[in-house]
Amino acid sequence: MQYDVILIGSGFGSLTAAALLAKKGLKVVVLEQAKYPGGCASSYKRKGYWFETGATTLVGLDEHMPLRHLLNETGIELPLIKLQTPMQVHLPDGQLLTRYGNLEAWIKEAERVFGAKGQRPFWQHCYRVSQQVWRTSLEQRSFPFSNVRDLWQAIQQFRPHQSSLLPGAFRTMQNLLRRYDLLDNKLFTDFVNEQLLITAQNHLEEVNELFGATALCYTLFGNYYVEGGMIGLARALELYLHSKGSTILYRHHVNKIIPKAEGYETSCMAGNYHARFVISGIPLNDTYLLFQDDKVRQKLKPYLLPSEKLNGAFTMAIALRKVPAIPVLHHQVHVPEGLPLIGSKSCFVSYSHPADEFRAKAGERVVAISTHVPDPAALRIDDKRQLQEAILAKMEALGLLNRADILYLDAATPGAWIFWTQRAYGMVGGYPQYRDIKPWQMKDARLDHKGAYVCGDTVYPGQGIVGVCLSGIISANKLLRDHF
């Protein structure tokens, strides 16, 4: 069957681009190696329960944010529950910190826990930056620039408020904390570092102010739970694709992308597919191996990151008979002594909603736990039990679960992530933010300036569902501007 666009992988960047292109009348096919859509932000069924691939929360639905733009453009409706309280953080000193969704309530909580010095102006500044970043990101859909037309469109879309963001690209979060005299507040710097690790995959000395301020403020925007699990997000886009005459083909593992005289051919065990355009929604490391063009690979090589600059994950999926009276679904648990084998100093915990009887029966809950594994290719976890026991002991000590209530438990190392997702090194969260890589130096959506494009969490703007949604918007936008 002839298609206009082939998309590699069904991560949320690919699905976003596919939906927007299908809306314009293009016939698209998404080739997915797994049996479920969604990539790293999905769900899977085991022993009658629906588990998340990792602990996660959903943002991006506020005005001027990418996911809201996608839904407005397509009319897609999602099965969402808005969370009144986005998250709680169990700090190293034993305090419980509540990340309120209201700015004033959050500032008062931050002052209560960390002390009044510097907190109010710091958070007001971060929130102002985050609002401007999201607004600008949708206004400047030609960024990063890779041809003259991009630059011309950027000039046309320029608004005075955008210029105030530029200095933040040259400052790190460490600089920002120093500005507000917060660097000596160890409890606060520990909190910031572990929060940035969730959203930016790195620490305050490496993350630039634009990304860092936005990442720290994600709880100050609408946070949502997807009924039935994160797979509901991907399924909603899949239904939209079908309604437009397009589709997702599962168990289609692409091993080559071959440029042809007209268009591109993808080679799979299930057969070959040809289209005028191709969009790779998988990481750049994997795209580099697939794309059969030496000139393109040579240009792509400087953007690739080795394992020592990436993170993998250790994850746990737990089904519980019951859960203690915990009103907040998402928790970050600090482990100041570091977890055994991997040294990670925090883990992220997500509970299913008590009203969600699709993922677990009435009276039961499922829990996703994830923690970072630095340089995953260099670290082999031969015995998961030691790490598993350390996390369970911490959870039980904090009253987050009782071991006697565990009905099912499974744990996965970065090796399992390689098996599930086929991502190089079992990488999660995309490329971490680094201070020597400015936003305009991140990989642009164009792969060969002919008909091949990229999106996902290793290109601009980076990590998270809302980030990869923006990458999909940009990729679709550039393809349509370049050729239609």
Side-chain angles (χ1 to χ4, degrees):
M1 184 177 291
Q2 182 67 34
Y3 296 98
D4 297 308
V5 190
I6 296 171
L7 294 103
I8 314 299
S10 68
F12 202 70
S14 283
L15 293 179
T16 295
L20 293 173
L21 294 172
K23 184 203 171 194
K24 293 294 185 180
L26 298 179
K27 192 174 184 65
V28 307
V29 61
V30 180
L31 302 178
E32 169 55 52
Q33 58 89 24
K35 63 179 180 180
Y36 299 126
C40 288
S42 189
S43 314
Y44 63 95
K45 193 174 185 180
R46 188 76 52 83
K47 301 295 184 180
Y49 300 99
W50 280 91
F51 295 104
E52 305 289 39
T53 50
T56 189
T57 184
L58 178 65
V59 297
L61 287 153
D62 297 69
E63 189 179 5
H64 303 306
M65 294 182 80
L67 191 50
R68 172 50 51 203
H69 171 82
L70 172 64
L71 300 187
N72 287 346
E73 285 290 306
T74 59
I76 293 171
E77 295 184 0
L78 299 175
L80 300 174
I81 299 173
K82 187 169 185 179
L83 303 180
Q84 295 306 308
T85 304
M87 179 192 289
Q88 288 185 317
V89 181
H90 303 259
L91 294 167
D93 66 353
Q95 291 191 78
L96 179 62
L97 173 75
T98 300
R99 295 225 58 183
Y100 294 107
N102 173 271
L103 178 62
E104 186 60 31
W106 163 240
I107 289 173
K108 288 180 179 177
E109 176 73 348
E111 289 178 334
R112 178 188 72 81
V113 173
F114 302 117
K117 185 172 109 176
Q119 292 294 323
R120 179 170 292 276
F122 174 82
W123 289 106
Q124 287 175 334
H125 175 83
C126 286
Y127 187 58
R128 185 166 56 251
V129 168
S130 66
Q131 289 178 306
Q132 292 172 337
V133 164
W134 287 125
R135 183 177 176 186
T136 299
S137 69
L138 283 175
E139 291 171 340
Q140 292 290 355
R141 277 174 261 167
S142 62
F143 187 85
F145 314 136
S146 60
N147 63 23
V148 174
R149 288 182 65 192
D150 282 350
L151 188 58
W152 174 240
Q153 187 182 44
I155 292 169
Q156 291 178 308
Q157 295 299 318
F158 177 77
R159 304 292 182 271
H161 70 88
Q162 297 171 7
S163 59
S164 65
L165 293 175
L166 185 60
F170 295 93
R171 296 191 294 254
T172 66
M173 290 304 293
Q174 186 177 52
N175 300 144
L176 189 61
L177 265 70
R178 183 179 292 114
R179 173 180 170 183
Y180 291 105
D181 202 16
L182 289 166
L183 269 183
D184 292 332
N185 188 334
K186 187 175 185 309
L187 186 63
F188 185 63
T189 57
D190 286 346
F191 162 76
V192 168
N193 271 329
E194 297 309 311
Q195 288 279 288
L196 287 176
L197 200 56
I198 292 176
T199 47
Q201 301 290 311
N202 219 329
H203 294 125
L204 56 84
E205 65 272 11
E206 291 288 352
V207 181
N208 72 64
E209 181 185 313
L210 294 184
F211 200 99
T214 305
L216 285 182
C217 287
Y218 77 96
T219 53
L220 296 174
F221 294 88
N223 280 238
Y224 294 85
Y225 174 87
V226 184
E227 291 185 76
M230 291 301 293
I231 196 170
L233 199 63
R235 291 292 192 205
L237 270 73
E238 181 179 33
L239 287 173
Y240 180 80
L241 290 177
H242 287 165
S243 75
K244 297 296 180 181
S246 296
T247 191
I248 302 176
L249 298 179
Y250 298 105
R251 300 299 197 188
H252 279 63
H253 178 70
V254 176
N255 50 56
K256 287 181 183 178
I257 303 172
I258 307 164
K260 296 289 186 179
E262 291 186 10
Y264 301 84
E265 184 176 275
T266 58
S267 172
C268 306
M269 288 290 290
N272 293 356
Y273 295 83
H274 184 273
R276 184 180 173 190
F277 308 105
V278 66
I279 298 177
S280 176
I282 60 178
L284 292 179
N285 296 61
D286 301 284
T287 301
Y288 173 83
L289 295 175
L290 294 187
F291 205 86
Q292 306 299 298
D293 184 302
D294 289 339
K295 288 183 179 179
V296 170
R297 284 160 63 108
Q298 223 26 56
K299 289 181 180 179
L300 199 56
K301 206 168 186 178
Y303 293 99
L304 308 182
L305 291 184
S307 173
E308 57 264 30
K309 286 197 155 189
L310 302 172
N311 293 302
F314 178 81
T315 59
M316 293 173 64
I318 303 174
L320 295 171
R321 182 178 293 106
K322 59 183 178 180
V323 173
I326 301 170
V328 178
L329 299 186
H330 302 293
H331 296 254
Q332 187 181 42
V333 176
H334 282 238
V335 187
E337 68 277 15
L339 288 167
L341 305 177
I342 59 175
S344 177
K345 294 185 179 296
S346 69
C347 55
F348 188 31
V349 181
S350 291
Y351 293 91
S352 62
H353 196 282
D356 189 349
E357 295 184 12
F358 179 82
R359 295 182 62 195
K361 293 183 294 186
E364 298 178 354
R365 304 276 287 280
V366 293
V367 188
I369 303 171
S370 62
T371 189
H372 287 82
V373 177
D375 191 1
L379 183 63
R380 183 178 177 86
I381 302 173
D382 292 313
D383 185 0
K384 298 184 289 187
R385 288 173 297 180
Q386 187 181 357
L387 186 50
Q388 183 177 295
E389 284 300 307
I391 293 173
L392 288 176
K394 191 73 177 179
M395 295 273 290
E396 196 162 35
L398 293 170
L400 293 173
L401 60 72
N402 296 311
R403 291 194 206 212
D405 293 327
I406 295 176
L407 297 168
Y408 173 81
L409 185 151
D410 188 30
T413 66
W417 279 87
I418 295 174
F419 176 76
W420 287 342
T421 67
Q422 304 295 308
R423 290 164 66 98
Y425 314 119
M427 170 184 58
V428 299
Y431 284 176
Q433 297 289 314
Y434 283 100
R435 61 183 169 182
D436 59 342
I437 302 175
K438 303 296 185 282
W440 53 86
Q441 295 172 312
M442 298 177 77
K443 182 67 188 83
D444 166 58
R446 296 186 185 91
L447 192 54
D448 64 357
H449 289 262
K450 294 176 183 177
Y453 298 80
V454 285
C455 63
D457 59 10
T458 61
V459 303
Y460 174 83
Q463 305 86 341
I465 291 173
V466 65
V468 298
C469 180
L470 178 59
S471 77
I473 291 169
I474 291 172
S475 182
N477 180 64
K478 291 194 174 187
L479 188 156
L480 291 169
R481 280 199 301 110
D482 290 348
H483 301 283
F484 295 93

